[in-house]
């Protein structure tokens, strides 16, 4: 079993991981497992195009998918990127760009209609960012959003963030801050919390695994669902990191040390559920 830290605060649910999985086993067919991608299922890398899931993650998800109600990857990545890693797995739904895109079990990608008019704006913004920001800043164009990374040049944090916020204000867009990244996205009400809220309304339980501040909204959605239904068990799991880990861990029930440890954790979970 990988290291599991409950921290100094009382967990939001009075259970350890083994107890939570045993309860989940009794309702596995009504339970949804949600996962963020970067920093959760896969370690963060300097080059976001080179990121790969941690060892054991894909095998564990493949084993768990037939047992639980559904597995959903809810990420800031586009669906097409997620498809490259999960398309061979049946029973896995993909929610990209904080829910602006989704694909169910290998089906076609569906885009939030309200976001589509912003595709040209995002393309122009990406070109502008490449022209005006220092060369060390990495500009990631995602069709419906633009992510501005400063992981390889942390001294540029203020410069990149100020530029991104100014452009978002000029264009009437929104910003999402993450781990050494600012993302500019359409002014469309869609986030991870909204995705989770919709998908758990008729579920009997859910786990959410995340590592970044955007995942706290997903935690909150599980808390709200549990508050409305005493029979619903929602488990919020933080994957530790030195950048946003403390804030995310404080909002979670359980904390896992790394994406690699999550692979071990999910492998152990298969013994409870399969």
């Amino acid at each position: 079993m990988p290291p599991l830290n409950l921290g100094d605060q009382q967990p939001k649910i009075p259970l350890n991981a083994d107890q939570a999985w045993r309860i989940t086993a009794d309702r596995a067919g009504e339970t949804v497992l949600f996962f963020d991608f970067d920093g959760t299922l896969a370690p963060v890398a300097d080059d976001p195009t080179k990121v790969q899931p941690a060892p054991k993650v894909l095998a564990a998800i493949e084993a768990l998918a037939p047992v639980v109600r559904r597995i959903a990857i809810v990420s800031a990545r586009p669906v097409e990127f997620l498809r490259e890693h999960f398309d061979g797995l049946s029973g896995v739904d993909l929610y990209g760009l904080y829910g602006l895109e989704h694909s169910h079990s290998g089906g076609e990608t569906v885009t939030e209609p309200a976001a589509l008019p912003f595709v040209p704006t995002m393309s122009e913004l990406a070109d502008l960012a490449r022209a005006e920001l220092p060369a060390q800043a990495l500009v990631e164009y995602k069709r419906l959003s633009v992510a501005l990374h400063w992981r390889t040049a942390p001294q540029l944090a203020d410069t990149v963030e100020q530029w991104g916020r100014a452009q978002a204000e000029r264009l009437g867009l929104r910003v999402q801050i993450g781990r050494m990244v600012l993302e500019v996205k359409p002014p469309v009400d869609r986030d991870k919390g909204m995705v989770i809220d919709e998908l758990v309304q008729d579920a009997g339980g859910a786990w959410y695994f995340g590592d970044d501040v955007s995942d706290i909204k997903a935690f909150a959605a599980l808390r709200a669902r549990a508050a409305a239904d005493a029979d619903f068990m929602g488990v919020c799991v933080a994957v530790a990191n030195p950048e946003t880990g403390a804030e995310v861990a404080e909002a979670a029930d359980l904390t896992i040390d790394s994406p690699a440890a999550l692979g071990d954790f999910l492998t152990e979970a298969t013994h409870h559920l399969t």
Side-chain angles (χ1 to χ4, degrees):
M1 191 75 171
L4 189 69
N5 306 315
L6 298 183
D8 296 330
Q9 295 189 351
Q10 179 69 20
K12 310 303 185 299
I13 58 169
L15 300 171
N16 61 35
D18 287 336
Q19 290 170 329
W21 282 124
R22 283 197 292 271
I23 294 173
T24 299
D26 293 333
R27 62 181 76 185
E30 294 300 317
T31 296
V32 185
L33 303 181
F34 296 102
F35 299 94
D36 173 44
F37 183 74
D38 290 281
T40 300
L41 293 177
V44 172
D46 290 345
D47 185 345
T49 67
K50 301 291 178 60
V51 171
Q52 295 292 328
K56 302 183 182 180
V57 160
L58 293 180
I61 287 178
E62 186 172 23
L64 291 168
V67 181
V68 298
R69 179 170 187 164
R70 74 196 313 179
I71 289 178
I73 313 300
V74 187
S75 172
R77 296 281 196 164
V79 163
E80 288 309 306
F81 173 89
L82 299 173
R83 199 188 298 277
E84 294 174 8
H85 298 286
F86 300 99
D87 204 28
L89 304 182
S90 61
V92 177
D93 296 337
L94 306 176
Y95 289 83
L97 303 177
Y98 305 96
L100 291 178
E101 300 177 333
H102 68 265
S103 171
H104 295 299
S105 298
E108 66 177 286
T109 300
V110 178
T111 301
E112 178 68 33
L116 282 174
F118 292 90
V119 171
T121 301
M122 294 303 173
S123 178
E124 293 168 6
L125 180 62
D127 290 341
L128 187 64
R130 295 186 185 101
E132 294 190 354
L133 287 174
Q136 303 97 312
L138 190 152
V139 179
E140 183 186 7
Y141 171 60
K142 304 182 183 181
R143 191 173 73 99
L144 291 174
S145 70
V146 176
L148 308 173
H149 301 263
W150 57 84
R151 178 167 298 278
T152 60
Q155 73 278 7
L156 295 178
D158 289 343
T159 299
V160 174
E161 186 169 344
Q162 289 174 14
W163 188 92
R165 290 187 182 279
Q167 296 302 320
E169 183 176 357
R170 177 178 70 86
L171 296 168
L173 304 173
R174 294 179 181 174
V175 298
Q176 174 76 51
I177 295 291
R179 294 175 58 181
M180 305 188 82
V181 61
L182 178 146
E183 189 155 3
V184 184
K185 56 185 186 178
V188 177
D189 287 329
R190 200 73 179 146
D191 59 37
K192 291 182 177 183
M194 295 173 69
V195 172
I196 275 58
D197 180 63
E198 292 170 3
L199 297 180
V200 298
Q201 288 307 311
D202 58 352
W207 292 60
Y208 187 96
F209 298 82
D211 76 303
D212 208 345
V213 290
S214 63
D215 298 306
I216 294 176
K217 291 184 178 180
F219 291 172
L222 289 192
R223 304 266 186 244
R225 177 72 177 88
D229 182 355
D231 292 330
F232 178 90
M233 186 180 74
V235 184
C236 304
V237 184
V239 178
N241 69 81
E243 293 150 8
T244 60
E247 185 177 358
V248 181
E250 184 177 345
D253 301 307
L254 308 172
T255 302
I256 294 174
D257 287 348
S258 65
L262 177 60
D264 293 330
F265 182 78
L266 295 176
T267 300
E268 181 69 19
T270 63
H271 301 318
H272 290 288
L273 301 188
T274 60

